[in-house]
Amino acid sequence: MITISAKSHQKGTVLLLLTTVVWGTSFPLLKDTISSLSPSVLVAVRFFIAAIALLPWLRSINPRLLRDGVLLGTVYFLETMSALTGLESISANRSAFIIGLNVILVPLLGVLVGKRLPRQVLLATGLAMVGMSLMSWEGGGVGLGELLTLAAAIGVAVYILLLEAIAPRHAPLPLAAVQIWTMFLGGLLWASPEFLSQGGAIADHLVTLTYLGIIVTIGPLWSQALGQRWVPAQEAALLYTLEPVFAAFFSFWFLGEGLSLQAALGGMVILVATWLSQLRR
């Protein structure tokens, strides 16, 4: 049994909190960029920039690292593809709520593979779901967009659980490099029919795409792999629910989008859930 010190746990928590901040900055940028670029081209170019930046870390590749990195990269790519495709037919708020369901899917899937579910985590998960509902839920029926986004939420939950098991085996940057090259190759196949027609739009958004590739892609993959060495998957999923809170803040800051009283209350409930998840007996 692996014992995690309080100091290591705190360090992992800070890393995962920073991850959600970085993800939050991407929301207004993606909203602006996706109006000119198709989701497939955006994904391919973003991962290509990240893949080139991490090329030197492929020198330490070995069969076990290749197997684990390709597995994680495939799950991450399928989750991203499902989320962006679903986003074309549903609102961003509805997408955020459905993807946020991973906060309950992680502990549920964890129980299926024999993990214990502490009552403290269960209570925090319930509060986080209430907060996500207040921030994002819009009601309505279930269509293809919702089903694709639910598939993305399942993919996020599976990724978090896999990363908990895989992260301690490898250095974070080589693991991130294999994942990103896997995602780039998948994105290249997905986007190939549209590349030639979108060259001008790629050039117009090159600075944003570089930020998305280096900061929003490499940064979180590194911090997640390192942070989840010390933070259990159930707690990590709760910390990741802070993403819409930071996304709302940066959308207000950069785009001038307002925040309703209901959404603000939902954000406060998520903060309380996160605080509760970090309490120690």
Side-chain angles (χ1 to χ4, degrees):
M1 181 177 179
I2 298 174
T3 302
I4 299 172
S5 70
K7 187 174 181 180
S8 295
H9 183 274
Q10 290 171 358
K11 188 187 300 183
T13 299
V14 170
L15 281 170
L16 298 184
L17 285 172
L18 290 174
T19 300
T20 64
V21 173
V22 172
W23 282 340
T25 67
S26 70
F27 180 80
L29 297 175
L30 287 169
K31 188 171 183 178
D32 176 65
T33 306
I34 208 167
S35 63
S36 305
L37 283 176
S38 70
S40 59
V41 172
L42 191 156
V43 166
V45 176
R46 170 184 173 181
F47 289 153
F48 171 71
I49 292 170
I52 294 301
L54 284 179
L55 191 59
W57 279 272
L58 288 180
R59 289 179 297 184
S60 57
I61 198 170
N62 59 65
R64 194 181 191 190
L65 173 62
L66 182 63
R67 181 199 65 193
D68 290 346
V70 169
L71 174 61
L72 286 172
T74 300
V75 172
Y76 199 115
F77 172 72
L78 292 175
E79 171 262 311
T80 301
M81 185 173 65
S82 298
L84 286 175
T85 305
L87 191 58
E88 291 184 298
S89 57
I90 64 174
S91 71
N93 279 343
R94 195 167 177 81
S95 175
F97 173 77
I98 297 172
I99 291 178
L101 292 175
N102 75 81
V103 72
I104 189 64
L105 291 172
V106 168
L108 288 178
L109 292 176
V111 168
L112 291 178
V113 295
K115 291 182 176 292
R116 190 173 65 89
L117 181 58
R119 281 182 291 181
Q120 178 181 331
V121 172
L122 184 61
L123 177 58
T125 299
L127 279 175
M129 284 300 301
V130 171
M132 290 290 298
S133 300
L134 288 170
M135 287 198 73
S136 308
W137 180 245
E138 297 174 338
V142 176
L144 180 59
E146 284 81 6
L147 293 175
L148 286 169
T149 310
L150 179 60
I154 296 171
V156 171
V158 170
Y159 182 88
I160 292 171
L161 288 167
L162 285 174
L163 189 61
E164 181 184 41
I166 290 173
R169 304 175 189 167
H170 310 287
L173 285 176
L175 181 61
V178 178
Q179 289 182 74
I180 287 174
W181 272 92
T182 302
M183 292 184 282
F184 162 62
L185 293 174
L188 186 63
L189 290 174
W190 185 29
S192 55
E194 300 179 88
F195 254 120
L196 294 179
S197 63
Q198 300 211 333
I202 293 172
D204 291 340
H205 293 283
L206 191 57
V207 173
T208 299
L209 290 167
T210 301
Y211 176 82
L212 291 171
I214 302 297
I215 305 300
V216 179
T217 302
I218 295 177
L221 282 177
W222 171 80
S223 58
Q224 278 184 282
L226 195 55
Q228 282 197 230
R229 291 184 176 197
W230 306 309
V231 177
Q234 296 167 349
E235 286 187 36
L238 283 162
L239 291 171
Y240 295 150
T241 62
L242 288 170
E243 179 188 5
V245 179
F246 289 118
F249 170 77
F250 287 114
S251 295
F252 168 77
W253 185 267
F254 292 115
L255 301 178
E257 292 186 353
L259 189 65
S260 68
L261 179 61
Q262 176 179 311
L265 180 60
M268 292 178 64
V269 173
I270 290 174
L271 290 173
V272 171
T274 305
W275 168 77
L276 180 63
S277 74
Q278 298 304 302
L279 287 178
R280 288 289 178 270
R281 291 189 179 90

